[in-house]
Amino acid sequence: RAQFDGFWKEMYGEDDEEEESAVDGIAGFDNGLRKLILSEITSTYQTIETKLVGKMVNLDEEAVLRLAKEQGWAVNNGVVSLPLKTENEAKTTVIKENVKFEQLTKILSAANDI
């Protein structure tokens, strides 16, 4: 799992002190990074807690609710429902094994010896 919340803490620290950051002079850095993270969230999750979204994009819960509204996401009881995409949709996987009869008899014979 990506550690986006850890990245924000590393970049800006955990307290509210006004320390210089390596990206302070880069216009739009935070919003650009948030767009990237939101792309990952929508590709990965069908539902996700608002608190987790807040940690991932470094926003408080009120800002996350505004963001969800802007994105057209449904929020119910602190859980964001994201629209289904090909990336976040559950897919069934069928695994087909091609076993020749000769191989099967060896397997069954070995199983009888146990």
Side-chain angles (χ1 to χ4, degrees):
R1 181 187 121 177
Q3 299 294 320
F4 296 121
D5 54 336
F7 170 80
W8 292 110
K9 288 176 185 173
E10 190 69 30
M11 287 300 297
Y12 297 111
E14 295 188 40
D15 50 21
D16 292 332
E17 291 180 23
E18 294 293 323
E19 291 183 25
E20 290 283 321
S21 171
V23 297
D24 279 349
I26 303 173
F29 178 83
D30 287 358
N31 287 332
L33 186 58
R34 284 188 183 104
K35 285 181 183 179
L36 173 74
I37 295 169
L38 290 174
S39 172
E40 291 300 316
I41 289 171
T42 58
S43 293
T44 306
Y45 295 92
Q46 291 180 357
T47 60
I48 184 171
E49 293 181 12
T50 54
K51 290 180 182 181
L52 184 54
V53 174
K55 286 181 180 181
M56 291 175 136
V57 296
N58 198 34
L59 294 173
D60 62 27
E61 192 165 355
E62 187 177 310
V64 170
L65 294 175
R66 283 194 307 271
L67 176 70
K69 187 175 181 178
E70 290 170 10
Q71 297 291 322
W73 299 342
V75 179
N76 190 14
N77 294 327
V79 177
V80 178
S81 296
L82 302 165
L84 289 179
K85 297 170 57 175
T86 55
E87 294 91 355
N88 71 357
E89 190 173 25
K91 298 171 189 79
T92 58
T93 304
V94 177
I95 300 173
K96 183 178 177 183
E97 295 287 337
N98 290 325
V99 180
K100 294 182 181 179
F101 184 72
E102 294 81 23
Q103 293 171 319
L104 186 59
T105 57
K106 288 179 184 178
I107 293 170
L108 294 175
S109 174
N112 283 336
D113 292 340
I114 295 178

